[in-house]
Each structure stands twice: as C-alpha cells, then as structure tokens.
C-alpha cells in the first residue's frame, strides 16, 4: 500500500504531520505538498508557468517533497510520474477547519482528493471542525486516529476508484465523539461582506470579510452529523450534472416554432 499525503495548508502544517504519522502504520507514505498555504484555492491546474519541486523536512525529521504548485497540482505531479512507485490512495489534510456543503468547491483540501479521482486513484479529504479564526495550536491526535480507522475500513472493504470521501471530524475529546455517519452535502450559509478601503495611495481595494459561515444542521447531512458530535463521511463524485433538472430542461422549447435556427439570437 503506497499512500500519497498532501494538504492545502502547506508542508509545514501540523495537520499534515499528524496524518503522515498515522498513515505510516498502514503502508509506505510519500508526501508532496504545497510550499505555502493554498486554503480556499479551489481546483487548480497550473499550465502557464513551470513548477518546482524541492526537498523539505517535517518536524519529526521526515524528508518530504514540496512544490510551488496548488494542492491539486501536487497530486497531478505525483501521479503523473514524479513518484516512481504507483500510488494506491491519496489522503489530503488534515485541514484545521471543516469543509462542508458548498465549501467542497473552494477547498484545496477537497480538490486535491478530486484530482486523485481524475487520475484514477481513490482520494480522501480530511478536515477537523475547529473554531474559525482560532489562535492556539490544534491537537490532531484524535482526528488522525479517526482517519486511520477510516482508511483501514476502506482498505478492507475495497475502495471504488471513481469517488472521493470528504471526511469531517468534530474537534472534540475522544469520549464526546458519538459516531461515524455516512452523509450527503448540506447547505452552507455564507455571511461574506464586501469591505472597501483605501490603500496609502488613495486607491480603493476590496477584501471579502464578514462573519464565519454557518450551515443548516439537517439530519442526514454533513452539518447534521457534526452538530451531533459525529464524524461525517460524504462520498463525492465529480459529475455535477443536475439529474432532477434534466427532464425539465429537455422539455423547454429551445428552437422557436417558426423554425428559427439555434444560431439566431
Ligand atoms: Mn486549509
């Protein structure tokens, strides 16, 4: 078993080290992670500049690889041949904040696992639900043991190649974690506000501020699981087709009755 570990917080993030240490119990681990923080960078494919890969060291002395590409670039580089041995599984994280609902489209953590799926390798994205804008160092020991449990289960059961698992773990003491639940994506409620200020030269600049997002803790969703102290596992595929709207749109009259061709406005 050869596991590629990456993240979106950068190679020196403590969540990555905790994940690497647990994954080593399951097989050979390679690390290729961004050399800086790419949180909320979305799904990136760097095509218009070269990328560099350098050696780095984790806090426990492990030699790893870092790149100036995005998290998804790191996965692509590794799986396209930068690593000599074939990779069986990509695990991304551990991100310090939850990636729930629409977050999955912004998240570098999740899009790294999406890139794995595109390359034909199963992916797992892992985040803990620590408070937004926390200052103190987080303890990843409980979450990383939960990931070990989840990956062991996947290896035993056999992992379909065409999906990724989006895992979110409550930031709670072990005895307060209630359950592991299979969920669907819930509804994120963003509370972004546009902040307009002036730079020292008097020109306006813009910053997306506002309060931390919330979500609807509906039963069966990722938000619902976390609200009840449970680990959430959401299986995701990359087919964003809205199947329930297909029928409606097929019934629309796309060509006018007087025979106007689709090219005419
Ligand atoms: Mn992050």
């Amino acid at each position: 078993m050869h596991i590629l570990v990456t993240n979106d917080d950068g190679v020196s993030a403590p969540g990555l080290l905790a994940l690497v240490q647990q994954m080593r119990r399951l097989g050979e681990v390679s690390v290729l992670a961004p050399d800086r923080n790419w949180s909320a960078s979305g799904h990136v494919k760097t095509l218009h500049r070269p990328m560099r890969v350098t050696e780095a060291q984790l806090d426990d002395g492990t030699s790893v690889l870092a790149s100036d590409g995005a998290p998804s670039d790191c996965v692509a580089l590794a799986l396209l041949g930068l690593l000599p041995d074939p990779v069986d599984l990509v695990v991304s994280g551990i991100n310090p904040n939850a990636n729930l609902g629409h977050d999955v489209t912004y998240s570098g953590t999740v899009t790294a696992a999406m890139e794995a799926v595109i390359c034909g390798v199963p992916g797992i994205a892992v985040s803990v639900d620590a408070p937004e804008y926390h200052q103190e160092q987080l303890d990843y020991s409980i979450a990383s043991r939960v990931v070990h449990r989840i990956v062991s289960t996947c290896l035993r059961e056999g992992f379909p190649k065409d999906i990724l698992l989006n895992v979110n773990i409550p930031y709670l003491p072990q005895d307060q974690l209630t359950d592991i639940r299979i969920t669907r994506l819930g509804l994120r409620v963003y509370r972004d506000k546009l902040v307009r200020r002036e730079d020292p030269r008097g020109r306006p600049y813009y910053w997306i501020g506002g309060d931390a997002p919330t979500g609807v803790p509906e039963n069966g969703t990722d938000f619902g699981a976390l609200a009840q102290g449970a680990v959430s596992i959401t299986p995701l595929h990359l087919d964003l087709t809205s199947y329930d709207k297909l029928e409606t749109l097929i019934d629309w009259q796309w060509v006018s009755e007087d025979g106007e061709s689709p090219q005419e406005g």
Side-chain angles (χ1 to χ4, degrees), residues 15 28 81 86 107 116 131 137 161 167-168 177 195 211 219 244 250:
E28 186 204 338
S107 166
Q137 274 269 26
K161 272 190 173 170
V167 176
N168 283 277
L177 285 179
V195 177
D211 295 322
N219 264 338
D244 60 334
I250 283 168

Side-chain angles (χ1 to χ4, degrees), residues 7-10 13 37-41 71 93-97 99 107-109 127:
N7 73 351
D8 79 350
D9 302 304
N37 193 335
W38 281 79
S39 293
S41 63
I94 298 172
N95 197 64
N97 294 111
N99 280 304
S107 166
T109 308
S127 310

